[in-house]
Amino acid sequence: MPAKVAILLSGRGSNFLALHGAMERKEIPAEVALVISNVAEAPGLEKARSLRLPTVLLPHRLDPDREAHEDKVLAALEHAEVEWVCLAGYMRLLSAAFVARHPERILNIHPSLLPAFPGLNAQEQALEWGAKISGCTVHLVDEKLDHGPIVLQRAVPVHDDDNPISLSARILVEEHKVYPDALGRLLTERWRVVGRRVVFS
Ligand code: GRF
């Protein structure tokens, strides 16, 4: 049985499409059971609809507080019997209570080699710092921003003539490979979290 995966997104949705493509090609034993967006205009939501995937729009601005919003997201995940949650450009921090409902089953991708450059505009941060190497990180999600145990990382060179657009594009190519790789390994291999380390055995 393919694992039921929910994608949470707020924007473009290219990592969602990379994950979905790998599932469709049977490279990973999973299926997109649900796509949730908190942004009505998110291009990723439109892409999910055109692929005829189940989608739910949950605009957080309509909810009185984070708990009320997260309750709706959790209810949608439960209804779809979701086993894994992949954040893919989801611009909201999840609470500890939310994470506790899906322990070690929520993934995120971030466009830097964490713990360097967490938060917004990671590629610009890398350029401004003068980093010679950056990359991307897939990690298990905890309640802190871009913080949980690292699953996989890919390094990408920073060129002297890079700007945020060129560096983002080079990193994105690797994001689209490493996110399916990470999910596939978590689904098919034995692993455990030891301290902060995700150890495959
Ligand atoms: C990616 O760079 C991802 O690493 C970050 O947000 C961006 C989302 O892009 N978390 P997309 O919506 O997947 O195209």
Side-chain angles (χ1 to χ4, degrees):
M1 280 287 282
K4 288 174 179 271
V5 176
I7 308 279
L8 270 57
L9 56 79
S10 306
R12 180 176 55 184
S14 71
N15 278 289
F16 147 55
L17 289 181
L19 286 165
H20 179 256
M23 294 174 197
E24 289 290 291
R25 294 189 298 275
K26 310 274 186 228
E27 291 164 9
I28 49 180
E31 64 184 17
V32 175
L34 184 61
V35 176
I36 300 178
S37 179
N38 62 319
V39 177
E41 313 76 39
L45 182 61
E46 197 47 50
K47 287 169 189 160
R49 287 179 180 140
S50 62
L51 286 165
R52 306 242 178 279
L53 293 169
T55 61
V56 176
L57 170 63
L58 294 172
H60 58 276
R61 288 184 206 289
L62 299 182
D63 297 322
D65 55 28
R66 179 159 86 162
E67 193 181 345
H69 178 68
E70 288 191 345
D71 281 349
K72 289 185 183 170
V73 177
L74 286 166
L77 296 176
E78 198 170 324
H79 185 255
E81 298 180 340
V82 160
E83 301 164 81
W84 282 83
V85 177
C86 290
L87 309 186
Y90 187 61
M91 304 303 284
R92 288 184 62 79
L93 193 59
L94 298 174
S95 71
F98 186 105
V99 173
R101 290 281 295 274
H102 295 273
E104 296 182 355
R105 291 295 179 276
I106 308 176
L107 292 175
N108 183 41
I109 186 156
H110 183 73
S112 74
L113 294 177
L114 290 170
F117 316 126
L120 291 176
N121 304 321
Q123 304 93 334
E124 274 180 66
Q125 292 185 54
L127 284 170
E128 275 165 25
W129 193 262
K132 300 295 186 191
I133 296 174
S134 191
C136 45
T137 303
V138 178
H139 65 93
L140 296 172
V141 169
D142 64 16
E143 71 279 11
K144 296 187 194 147
L145 182 66
D146 301 325
H147 180 269
I150 292 167
V151 180
L152 287 182
Q153 293 183 303
R154 294 284 155 79
V156 165
V158 181
H159 297 161
D160 290 344
D161 60 354
D162 265 334
N163 56 47
I165 293 171
S166 62
L167 180 58
S168 299
R170 193 173 311 115
I171 293 173
L172 195 64
V173 171
E174 294 306 313
E175 290 186 42
H176 293 167
K177 293 188 250 180
V178 75
Y179 210 172
D181 282 358
L183 179 60
R185 288 193 62 181
L186 291 169
L187 290 173
T188 58
E189 295 183 27
R190 288 169 62 85
W191 58 275
R192 65 193 197 286
V193 180
V194 183
R196 280 200 48 91
R197 299 177 63 208
V198 175
V199 179
F200 291 94
S201 52

